[in-house]
Amino acid sequence: MMVRIFFLSLVIVISFSCRNRSTNSSEFVFPEADSIPLSEAEKLSPEAIEDIAKNISSPVEIANLLQMLEVPFSQEYLAASVDANKESTNFNKAMKLGILGADLGYLNMYEKTGSSLDLLSSIRKLAEDIRVGQFFDFETIKRLSQNKSNLDSLLFLSIDSYEQIDSYLRTNDRGHLSALMIIGVWIEGQYLATQVVSKYPDKILRDRIGEQKIILNDLLLLIAPYCNNSQEFTSLCNDLYELKNRYRDIRISYTQGEPVASEKEGGLVITQTETSVVEMTEEQLNGLIEITSEIRNRLILNN
Amino acid sequence: MKRIFITISLLLSLGFLLTGQSTDPLVSNCVMNAGSDAKYLKDFRIQLGKATGQSELRYKTNMSLWKNTKYRFTMCSTEDSKGKLILNIKDDANKVILSSYDKNTGKTYPFVDFVCNKSGIYQLNYDFTEGQQGSGVGVVSMVK
C-alpha cells in the first residue's frame, strides 16, 4: 500500500514539476491551456519575471539579421507617426517607449544615427513622462549619434538605458509599465521582420519569425497579471492571445548533434550541430504578417 | 556669500547624484575589447564571494539565442579578483553546450564564439575559477 502511495506521489510530482513552458525532446509546443491562468502568472517570483524580461530578444538582433541578409534600410518601417507630446496615458507612453526603442535599435544597427535625433527626443519625452528619464543619457547618446564614430558605445548606452528603465520599473511596483515596454519592443521587432519578409522572402527570416513562438508564452506571462487593469490592457491581452492562436499550428522541431569545438585567436569557437527546424506554410506566415501589422498599427494610433 | 557657495555646491552634488548613469570602466572596457567585428547585445555583471563547496556555477541567467547567429561571450574580471570569470551554457534539456573553462587542463578562454543553429532559451552560468571570490562582467555580442 505504502509502495503504491509512494509511486503515485512520484508520478504527481513529476507531472507538475515542469515550468509553464513544455518542450519535448523533438518539438516545441505551447502548454495545454489556451490562456494563462492569472493565479499562475501572479505566482511568478521577481527573479522569474526578471528572467522572462531578459529572454525577450533585443530588436538589435532582428536588425542585425536584416543587415546580414543585406536588406536595405528603409525609413518606412519606423513608427514615424508617434508624437510623444500627444500620448496621454501611461499605457501608451510605456508602449511607445518600447516601440521607439526598437526603432532606435534599427537605426543604430544600420548606422543611420544622424536620423535618430528626433527619435531620441521622443524617447526622452516619453521616459520623462513616466518618470524614468534619469536612466536615459540623452546628451551622451545624442553626441555619439551625431559623431557616428563609436557604434559600440552607442549600442551599449542605448541598450543599457532601456535595461535600467526596465529594472527600475519592475523593482518599484511598476511592473505593468515594464511589461508594456518589453512588449512594445517585441511587437515592433516582429513588425519589422514581417514587413521585410513580405518584400524579401528569405528562409532565414521566415524561420526567425516562426521561432518567435518560443517566447510568445513568456510575453503572455509578463502581461497576464495586468489584463484586467483597464480596457487598454484587456485589448492588448486579447491581441496577444490571438497572435498565439496564429502560432499554434506552426511547428518547431529539433535535430540532435554534438557541438564541434576549435581554438581561434586565443578563444574558443563552438559550432552547434543541433538544429531547430520551422515548419510554416505561406498561409500561416501571411496570417502572422497580417495580425502583427494590425496590432502594431493599432498600438501606434492608440486605437 | 558663504550661503550661496554652500547652496551651489549642494545643487551641483545633487545634479551628479540624480544623473542615474554610471558607466563602469570594467564594463565599458570589456565591451570595447569584444572585438571590432562584434556588436554589443547584453552584459551581465557578476560579483561573488568564495564558494563553500558547491560544484555548480553560481550566477545563473537565461537568454534567448537564435539560429543563424554567431555570438561572442567575452569574460572580463577585475584585477583584484581571486579567480577568473568563467562561463558555461546549457540548453533547455540541461545539457552543457559550451564551457569557457577546461576542467582537465585548467585552461580558461577569455572569450567563446558560439555559432548557434538551434533557437531557444539557454541558461548562462557564470562563476570564478575554483569558486573563488571575484568581480567581473560577461559581455554578449553578435559577430559577423
Side-chain angles (χ1 to χ4, degrees):
Chain A
M1 175 69 174
M2 288 305 293
V3 171
R4 280 187 191 171
I5 291 171
F6 171 75
F7 277 111
L8 184 59
S9 306
L10 197 60
V11 166
I12 292 168
V13 165
I14 290 170
S15 301
F16 286 96
S17 64
C18 298
R19 228 199 83 189
N20 206 26
R21 179 186 302 114
S22 58
T23 53
N24 63 28
S25 59
S26 62
E27 187 174 341
F28 178 85
V29 295
F30 281 135
E32 288 297 322
D34 277 341
S35 63
I36 309 281
L38 182 60
S39 55
E40 182 167 344
E42 284 179 332
K43 275 186 220 162
L44 292 176
S45 66
E47 292 77 20
I49 293 171
E50 183 178 358
D51 251 3
I52 290 171
K54 285 184 175 176
N55 279 347
I56 313 301
S57 64
S58 163
V60 168
E61 289 198 76
I62 295 287
N64 181 65
L65 179 61
L66 298 182
Q67 268 197 320
M68 191 184 85
L69 299 176
E70 297 180 352
V71 173
F73 172 83
S74 173
Q75 197 86 17
E76 70 182 56
Y77 301 132
L78 304 180
S81 61
V82 169
D83 183 344
N85 294 309
K86 290 185 179 172
E87 302 302 330
S88 53
T89 65
N90 281 346
F91 177 100
N92 289 330
K93 289 172 188 177
M95 178 62 68
K96 300 302 193 310
L97 190 57
I99 288 171
L100 295 186
D103 286 354
L104 181 64
Y106 178 64
L107 281 166
N108 285 344
M109 284 299 285
Y110 274 85
E111 300 188 45
K112 302 291 183 187
T113 52
S115 310
S116 67
L117 298 181
D118 285 343
L119 188 67
L120 286 173
S121 297
S122 295
I123 288 174
R124 180 168 74 164
K125 173 80 172 81
L126 292 167
E128 285 172 353
D129 280 356
I130 60 170
R131 292 177 283 123
V132 289
Q134 69 270 31
F135 298 106
F136 195 73
D137 191 349
F138 174 78
E139 293 302 328
T140 305
I141 294 174
K142 179 180 165 186
R143 180 168 42 82
L144 289 170
S145 300
Q146 286 170 323
N147 288 345
K148 300 188 186 188
S149 57
N150 198 330
L151 178 64
D152 253 352
S153 296
L154 182 56
L155 282 174
F156 169 62
L157 266 183
S158 305
I159 294 170
D160 193 55
S161 296
Y162 266 77
E163 294 200 345
Q164 287 192 63
I165 291 171
D166 165 61
S167 179
Y168 177 81
L169 288 171
R170 277 187 284 105
T171 52
N172 284 272
D173 290 327
R174 296 163 79 199
H176 59 299
L177 298 184
S178 155
L180 288 172
M181 193 176 77
I182 289 168
I183 288 169
V185 168
W186 184 83
I187 283 280
E188 187 71 350
Q190 180 81 338
Y191 174 78
L192 181 60
T194 50
Q195 289 300 299
V196 170
V197 85
S198 305
K199 294 180 186 171
Y200 302 90
D202 182 275
K203 182 163 189 337
I204 292 176
L205 186 54
R206 283 173 61 106
D207 282 357
R208 182 66 63 89
I209 293 168
E211 285 165 344
Q212 295 306 303
K213 180 178 182 176
I214 295 170
I215 55 172
L216 189 53
N217 220 54
D218 278 348
L219 280 178
L220 285 162
L221 276 173
L222 270 186
I223 200 68
Y226 315 112
C227 286
N228 295 327
N229 273 19
S230 70
Q231 182 54 44
E232 291 169 312
F233 278 96
T234 305
S235 177
L236 176 65
C237 290
N238 289 341
D239 283 341
L240 292 178
Y241 278 119
E242 178 55 34
L243 190 51
K244 181 179 174 179
N245 282 339
R246 302 282 180 116
Y247 267 105
R248 190 170 298 281
D249 295 331
I250 293 170
R251 291 189 66 214
I252 303 172
S253 56
Y254 304 101
T255 64
Q256 304 296 316
E258 293 301 315
V260 174
S262 60
E263 287 191 6
K264 185 179 175 185
E265 294 169 6
L268 191 59
V269 180
I270 301 289
T271 301
Q272 190 175 40
T273 60
E274 289 177 300
T275 60
S276 48
V277 179
V278 177
E279 291 170 43
M280 180 170 62
T281 65
E282 203 62 34
E283 189 184 348
Q284 287 168 334
L285 176 61
N286 287 338
L288 292 180
I289 294 171
E290 181 193 7
I291 192 170
T292 301
S293 178
E294 273 175 25
I295 294 171
R296 183 266 193 180
N297 289 334
R298 197 176 326 124
L299 289 171
I300 295 285
L301 297 171
N302 299 337
N303 286 339
Chain B
M1 185 63 189
K2 189 176 174 182
R3 275 191 196 171
I4 292 171
F5 175 75
I6 290 171
T7 305
I8 291 172
S9 301
L10 280 172
L11 284 172
L12 282 172
S13 307
L14 200 58
F16 281 119
L17 286 170
L18 286 177
T19 304
Q21 291 289 325
S22 61
T23 308
D24 184 339
L26 176 68
V27 177
S28 49
N29 285 340
C30 202
V31 170
M32 295 309 132
N33 289 335
S36 57
D37 56 343
K39 288 183 179 170
Y40 171 84
L41 189 57
K42 206 180 275 280
D43 71 84
F44 301 99
R45 299 167 204 196
I46 300 116
Q47 200 160 353
L48 296 167
K50 189 169 167 52
T52 49
Q54 287 172 312
S55 56
E56 284 243 330
L57 302 192
R58 291 173 287 167
Y59 180 94
K60 298 174 190 302
T61 187
N62 287 342
M63 183 173 177
S64 51
L65 300 176
W66 304 97
K67 73 176 186 184
N68 298 304
T69 308
K70 188 175 181 181
Y71 295 93
R72 176 167 294 159
F73 298 90
T74 308
M75 279 64 69
C76 302
S77 311
T78 58
E79 285 182 9
D80 59 355
S81 295
K82 296 283 189 294
K84 285 187 189 172
L85 186 64
I86 57 175
L87 160 76
N88 75 28
I89 298 182
K90 295 181 180 179
D91 64 11
D92 58 2
N94 208 37
K95 175 178 143 189
V96 176
I97 57 160
L98 71 83
S99 176
S100 70
Y101 176 59
D102 187 331
K103 277 184 193 173
N104 296 329
T105 62
K107 184 172 183 177
T108 60
Y109 294 95
F111 70 90
V112 180
D113 282 359
F114 176 55
V115 180
C116 181
N117 286 313
K118 176 182 144 190
S119 300
I121 308 294
Y122 291 80
Q123 184 182 67
L124 275 56
N125 303 289
Y126 289 95
D127 208 317
F128 294 88
T129 43
E130 296 172 2
Q132 295 282 357
Q133 170 271 330
S135 182
V137 61
V139 171
V140 187
S141 314
M142 294 173 293
V143 184
K144 287 179 192 169

